[in-house]
Amino acid sequence: MRTLSADVVVIGGGSTGCGIARDAAMRGFTVALVERADLAQGTSARFHGLLHSGGRYVVSDPESARECAEENGIVKRINPDAVEDTGGFFVLLENDDESFGDKFVQGCAAAGLPHREITPAQALRLEPRLNPKAVRVMEVQDGTIDGWTMAWGAIRSAVAYGARLLRYTTVTAIELKGGRVAAVRCHDRKADEDVLIDTGFLINASGPWVGQIAALMGIYDIDVIPGQGVMVAVAHRLSSR
């Protein structure tokens, strides 16, 4: 058995786990990230890829819109290789509520969300497949994310700060002492070797499998059920934004 020690053990190598590992390592903690497969093999590789500008929330949830705008800027700054800065449009059609356009503009201003109104004719030149019945068009700073590049960029940074990455390693048990985490037992499937990680702090970033990890600590009331979505792949890009 191989024995390691870490201030923080992160379980789950998706974008959340890799980002947490990076953050903790940058703060000076010793970190071990444990992932049962390779990085970004779960939700982080199977999502729509949209980096929100915050535009979707400026009317219904201004605080979330403000957070989206701030995080959008952070992601583009710290991991630019993972982001395509496509921009995006919010479009008011002829049968939509006319007052929503003004509410959208006011919400953007209140949330500090960069936006620019362009004419429908300008929008159609930029995006020929746009509905020609557009009445108003707002351009926002949406982008698209490559999930693998995002996770790998974060973990490479974490490793540079001293974090340890354990891929293809399954968590088999979590030891508690006095109600607190004392160690994480794992199995390195590639090396066919058991690993014991002494630690006092565990972060469960296992996404849809969070309930299974919690159950190893005797916590059985986290009912997360993985659900399958449907994604359609096409051979070419249908739109630019």
Side-chain angles (χ1 to χ4, degrees), residues 50 85-89 118 123 125-128 139-140 142 144 237-241:
L50 178 62
D85 197 4
T86 59
F89 289 158
I118 62 176
R125 283 196 296 271
L126 294 168
E127 199 65 79
E139 190 174 36
V140 296
D142 284 339
T144 58
R237 177 169 289 192
L238 296 174
S239 63
S240 299
R241 288 159 180 78

Side-chain angles (χ1 to χ4, degrees), residues 8-232:
V8 180
V9 172
V10 181
I11 299 175
S15 57
T16 299
C18 292
I20 290 170
R22 176 181 184 270
D23 184 275
M26 289 178 70
R27 294 174 189 271
F29 295 104
T30 55
V31 179
L33 184 144
V34 182
E35 165 56 46
R36 67 175 187 168
D38 210 334
L39 299 184
Q41 293 296 299
T43 306
S44 296
R46 298 174 174 85
F47 75 118
H48 50 62
L50 178 62
L51 177 62
H52 284 275
S53 62
R56 279 148 192 78
Y57 312 115
V58 291
V59 175
S60 62
D61 189 352
E63 185 59 32
S64 291
R66 186 177 296 107
E67 289 181 357
C68 273
E70 292 172 353
E71 292 171 4
N72 180 301
I74 291 170
V75 170
K76 288 177 179 177
R77 174 171 55 82
I78 67 175
N79 207 340
D81 290 346
V83 178
E84 183 180 358
D85 197 4
T86 59
F89 289 158
F90 277 83
V91 181
L92 193 74
L93 299 179
E94 59 181 2
N95 294 323
D96 291 336
D97 178 5
E98 292 183 11
S99 67
F100 190 84
D102 291 334
K103 292 177 183 177
F104 185 89
V105 172
Q106 293 165 5
C108 286
L113 193 153
H115 66 286
R116 180 174 72 107
E117 183 164 5
I118 62 176
T119 68
Q122 288 175 310
L124 279 165
R125 283 196 296 271
L126 294 168
E127 199 65 79
R129 287 190 173 91
L130 186 67
N131 191 325
K133 296 181 180 180
V135 176
R136 295 182 72 179
V137 180
M138 304 296 170
E139 190 174 36
V140 296
Q141 295 184 353
D142 284 339
T144 58
I145 296 176
D146 183 310
W148 287 282
T149 305
M150 177 67 68
W152 275 104
I155 205 63
R156 287 191 181 105
S157 178
V159 169
Y161 281 98
R164 185 187 295 265
L165 172 61
L166 288 79
R167 291 182 293 161
Y168 299 98
T169 300
T170 304
V171 175
T172 56
I174 298 172
E175 297 181 2
L176 305 178
K177 185 177 294 184
R180 296 183 61 85
V181 172
V184 178
R185 290 186 177 273
C186 314
H187 184 73
D188 182 333
R189 300 201 312 278
K190 284 200 168 183
D192 194 20
E193 178 183 34
D194 290 331
V195 182
L196 176 68
I197 310 173
D198 291 320
T199 188
F201 202 91
L202 183 149
I203 296 177
N204 184 357
S206 54
W209 300 276
V210 65
Q212 297 176 28
I213 297 298
L216 296 175
M217 296 179 281
I219 302 170
Y220 299 102
D221 57 351
I222 302 179
D223 299 321
V224 179
I225 301 173
Q228 291 185 341
V230 176
M231 303 194 76
V232 178

